[in-house]
Amino acid sequence: MERQKGFLDFQVYDRFISDGVKLGLREVGLYTTGEPFVVKNIDNYIASAKQSGIDYVYITSNGALATPERLVSAVHSGLDSIKFSFNAGSRETYQQVHGVDDFDKVVKNIKFISKYRKKNNIDLKLIVSCIVTKVVEERDEKTKLKKLLLPYIDEISFQGVHGLMGQSLDQLSSIASGMTDTITTEKAKPCPMLWNRVHVSHEGYLSLCCVDFENSLVYADLNISSLEKSWHNAIITKMRKRHQSQELDGTLCKNCLYGTRDAVSPLDQGSIIPLCHTK
């Protein structure tokens, strides 16, 4: 990722939550292209959502920074669910896939919060998600992972490794597994995220996609526009029509849906995108 790293301003977030609840927003996930426990005051973000009327607030984390103290604090701030991204069932394969040796640390954190919720009778859902790469499949890591963590959590979700919505297709060929989705050669269906999800970047921008690392699919800026106006503005309205017709040349969406490696440009060369596509 060449885009600068950063943190979502709490006031922008708080206003987004307030506006979203009025428009029917009922579920908030604190994750997308970042690790939530990097944010020191993540509890404030959780509490803001719950106090504003959000029914379900969840976090997706790799679990390395999810210490017992931080987990307890997050839960008591109103957290409803934690999904741990844990992409192997053994220490050796975990280190190979994740690039760090956090296997024992994360297992310890998962076991802690599992025992804590049981002891305190807390209504908290615990999930583990595993992206099945080639090495995970070949070493039967799925079986190992189930044996290791199922006694402590509610479910494990296995998904095939993908090309990060068209952004990592060159790497995909060497790590794809039998669970990797086959790229369509026919007319694809419109991506439902343009109609049923709102993705807020750390800059306060709205993007069409949950893994838009370089802000290629930004359609609005919540720093200067309301959520309601943004959700119906000209850029996203045009992209919804393009998805319906599948006329997606020059967009990241085409590379995602069709596995192409075409050059990608920001959605609009007007006022929003040059500010958002920060290098």
Side-chain angles (χ1 to χ4, degrees), residues 240-252:
R240 286 173 180 142
K241 292 179 180 178
R242 291 181 69 178
H243 266 257
Q244 289 171 331
S245 65
Q246 288 297 292
E247 296 173 0
L248 298 171
D249 288 348
T251 70
L252 186 61

Side-chain angles (χ1 to χ4, degrees), residues 4-276:
Q4 294 179 356
K5 298 177 182 178
F7 297 91
L8 175 59
D9 181 81
F10 181 77
Q11 291 185 334
V12 174
Y13 167 83
D14 196 46
R15 186 172 64 251
F16 160 75
I17 293 294
S18 178
D19 291 346
V21 169
K22 295 174 185 176
L23 297 170
L25 183 66
R26 292 293 176 266
E27 181 176 301
V28 170
L30 301 170
Y31 67 108
T32 188
T33 57
E35 165 56 49
F37 284 107
V38 169
V39 182
K40 294 182 179 180
N41 62 333
I42 190 65
D43 296 348
N44 294 344
Y45 292 76
I46 297 169
S48 170
K50 293 303 292 185
Q51 292 168 8
S52 296
I54 297 296
D55 297 331
Y56 192 78
V57 180
Y58 65 98
I59 275 179
T60 295
S61 169
N62 62 31
L65 297 178
T67 62
E69 295 78 15
R70 300 205 68 190
L71 285 168
V72 169
S73 183
V75 169
H76 288 287
S77 295
L79 197 62
D80 296 292
S81 173
I82 307 173
K83 182 166 70 174
F84 293 93
S85 298
F86 200 88
N87 301 306
S90 65
R91 184 177 181 184
E92 178 187 5
T93 305
Y94 179 97
Q95 185 171 0
Q96 183 176 345
V97 172
H98 284 258
V100 291
D101 187 13
D102 286 334
F103 183 85
D104 293 336
K105 181 195 300 183
V106 178
V107 170
K108 182 179 179 180
N109 291 339
I110 293 173
K111 289 182 177 179
F112 167 81
I113 194 61
S114 174
K115 294 176 182 178
Y116 184 86
R117 69 165 179 173
K118 183 178 181 180
K119 179 180 178 181
N120 295 278
N121 195 29
I122 295 173
D123 185 14
L124 174 71
K125 189 169 185 179
L126 296 178
I127 305 169
V128 165
S129 67
C130 176
I131 301 298
V132 181
T133 51
K134 183 179 180 180
V135 66
V136 168
E137 188 173 60
E138 290 177 342
R139 297 177 183 175
D140 195 22
E141 298 288 315
K142 292 170 62 177
T143 300
K144 299 174 186 176
L145 188 57
K146 290 178 182 178
K147 183 178 180 180
L148 176 69
L149 292 180
L150 264 182
Y152 303 96
I153 61 175
D154 299 304
E155 63 179 88
I156 296 180
S157 170
F158 294 102
Q159 303 172 33
V161 64
H162 55 75
L164 290 175
M165 310 312 178
Q167 296 171 110
S168 300
L169 293 172
D170 291 335
Q171 296 94 329
L172 181 62
S173 59
S174 63
I175 61 173
S177 68
M179 293 186 69
T180 298
D181 289 338
T182 303
I183 297 296
T184 182
T185 56
E186 301 178 356
K187 186 176 180 179
K189 295 181 179 180
C191 176
M193 290 196 293
L194 277 73
W195 285 268
N196 65 17
R197 292 177 63 169
V198 181
H199 307 105
V200 187
S201 75
H202 74 74
E203 300 95 340
Y205 305 145
L206 295 183
S207 174
L208 303 178
C209 183
C210 59
V211 289
D212 182 18
F213 297 128
E214 302 292 8
N215 286 338
S216 297
L217 296 173
V218 166
Y219 62 89
D221 182 355
L222 289 182
N223 296 284
I224 59 176
S225 177
S226 71
L227 176 59
E228 185 172 16
K229 288 183 178 179
S230 299
W231 187 242
H232 298 289
N233 74 11
I235 301 176
I236 190 171
T237 298
K238 180 179 179 180
M239 279 303 294
R240 286 173 180 142
K241 292 179 180 178
R242 291 181 69 178
H243 266 257
Q244 289 171 331
S245 65
Q246 288 297 292
E247 296 173 0
L248 298 171
D249 288 348
T251 70
L252 186 61
C253 299
K254 182 182 178 183
N255 288 351
C256 171
L257 294 173
Y258 294 96
T260 53
R261 291 170 171 79
D262 297 349
V264 172
S265 298
L267 292 185
D268 193 313
Q269 299 295 339
S271 59
I272 290 291
I273 301 304
L275 295 175
C276 299

